[in-house]
Amino acid sequence: MQILYIGLFGAFGCVSRYLVSGWVYALAGRSLPWGTLAVNVVGSLLLGFLMESGLRSTLLPAQVRMGITTGFMGGFTTFSTFSYETVRLMEEGSTLQAGANVVLNMTVCVVFAGLGIYLARQL
């Protein structure tokens, strides 16, 4: 049953990533990989919140929580796309944008993961 939850939630995560990143690119443009940054930041916040909440509550059964965290969040966020987009920026000679992409993804995502944990602890 756990594999089913992971696969089902993973499918929703992939579709959500496609929709959210596309929406962000439409708003912010493509001067930086803003869509990937957005899903990674939101994903970091949600994963921090869900993991911490799961440690403090039995509201979600373990199998469902695993489906959401491993499935949905795994499909929604993407380190591989971040890595690829950073390399492509470097290959295009956009080293400043590549560096900004690395710094933004690493710092903002860690901060938002911490914020998710903090918010879960306030409940």
Side-chain angles (χ1 to χ4, degrees), residues 6-91:
I6 291 170
L8 183 62
F9 281 103
F12 287 121
C14 291
V15 171
S16 297
R17 176 177 168 250
Y18 174 78
L19 294 173
V20 170
S21 64
W23 177 71
V24 171
Y25 281 127
L27 288 176
R30 292 187 174 267
S31 60
L32 275 176
W34 296 113
T36 302
L37 176 62
V39 296
N40 285 342
V41 168
V42 170
S44 296
L45 174 70
L46 291 174
L47 187 61
F49 182 84
L50 290 167
M51 293 300 286
E52 187 66 23
S53 295
L55 294 174
R56 298 174 177 277
S57 168
T58 57
L59 183 64
L60 289 176
Q63 288 182 322
V64 173
R65 190 173 63 246
M66 183 66 78
I68 294 170
T69 58
T70 301
F72 182 85
M73 301 312 300
F76 184 69
T77 64
T78 175
F79 193 81
S80 57
T81 301
F82 152 73
S83 301
Y84 172 78
E85 289 170 341
T86 301
V87 170
R88 293 292 301 160
L89 286 168
M90 290 188 293
E91 288 178 343

